[in-house]
Amino acid sequence: MVLTANDAYQSIAENAYPLLRRYQISMNVFIATDSIDHKYKAMMTWQKNVRYLK
């Protein structure tokens, strides 16, 4: 089974990531680069994306 998410919404970092980390579950997030470059509020920033990639 593979868990994926699209677009790197901020809610992934705020809501999903803590649970995924707690239960040691990996997730692939496909980043919509144009949305981040336009700095839409609902999207993670590049800095936050890099933080979760480590």
Side-chain angles (χ1 to χ4, degrees):
M1 177 166 66
V2 177
L3 185 60
T4 64
N6 291 330
D7 303 328
Y9 282 103
Q10 182 67 29
S11 61
I12 294 169
E14 294 172 355
N15 301 313
Y17 180 74
L19 290 171
L20 294 166
R21 185 173 174 187
R22 179 178 180 183
Y23 294 106
Q24 299 178 350
I25 299 171
S26 297
M27 177 182 210
N28 291 321
V29 178
F30 296 94
I31 300 171
T33 59
D34 193 50
S35 299
I36 294 173
D37 289 342
H38 283 92
K39 299 183 182 352
Y40 296 138
K41 286 186 177 184
M43 307 307 283
M44 284 190 248
T45 63
W46 281 116
Q47 292 78 17
K48 187 164 269 191
N49 277 298
V50 169
R51 176 181 167 208
Y52 291 105
L53 291 173
K54 293 182 179 179

